[in-house]
Amino acid sequence: MAGILIVDDAAFMRMMIKDILTKNGFEVVGEAENGAVAVEKYKALKPGLVVMDITMPEMDGIEAVRRIKAIDPDARIIMCSAMGQQAMVIDAIQAGARDFIVKPFQPDRVVEAVKKALS
């Protein structure tokens, strides 16, 4: 199974997601703190899945999804959003994201979304 790239501007959020994923047998191959870094890391690492925050400095998650999908139309991306970001989630899905998980994370929901996106 190809690894997972975690993208969030908050280091503690990346750590939390990584912890949930590794405890459930998934391999995290990289982390990025904004969309611009995510696009570069996607090219370099070719992960099987990206877990992407929406709101980040430099380049937001929606623009990063568009750019990653332009490089790889088959890219699998799950968005993370805070409550009340429904409009942004819709934009992300239209840009090519497969699913979304809402912060604060329920570990079961994260695992379920990842399994679904990878299947």
Side-chain angles (χ1 to χ4, degrees):
M1 180 187 74
I4 300 169
L5 173 63
I6 299 171
V7 187
D8 198 304
D9 56 324
F12 78 94
M13 275 295 176
R14 294 195 306 269
M15 198 170 69
M16 196 186 302
I17 297 167
K18 184 176 185 175
D19 191 50
I20 292 168
L21 295 175
T22 53
K23 279 182 178 163
N24 284 278
F26 297 103
E27 184 191 4
V28 174
V29 292
E31 296 181 28
E33 63 277 6
N34 64 52
V37 175
V39 173
E40 292 312 308
K41 290 218 173 167
Y42 189 88
K43 289 181 201 168
L45 299 169
K46 309 249 187 307
L49 179 69
V50 181
V51 178
M52 176 101 62
D53 187 24
I54 291 182
T55 313
M56 297 179 287
E58 285 186 58
M59 182 191 296
D60 69 19
I62 295 166
E63 182 58 28
V65 169
R66 288 192 186 104
R67 295 197 187 183
I68 289 171
K69 289 298 250 183
I71 298 161
D72 178 5
D74 297 326
R76 297 165 189 240
I77 305 167
I78 297 173
M79 303 309 287
C80 305
S81 73
M83 290 298 253
Q85 289 186 317
Q86 281 85 348
M88 288 178 158
V89 168
I90 291 165
D91 287 348
I93 300 286
Q94 287 171 339
R98 293 191 169 207
D99 201 351
F100 67 94
I101 44 182
V102 177
K103 298 174 186 175
F105 299 122
Q106 301 296 320
D108 294 352
R109 174 70 187 111
V110 174
V111 171
E112 176 197 329
V114 167
K115 282 182 177 167
K116 194 170 99 180
L118 287 170
S119 64

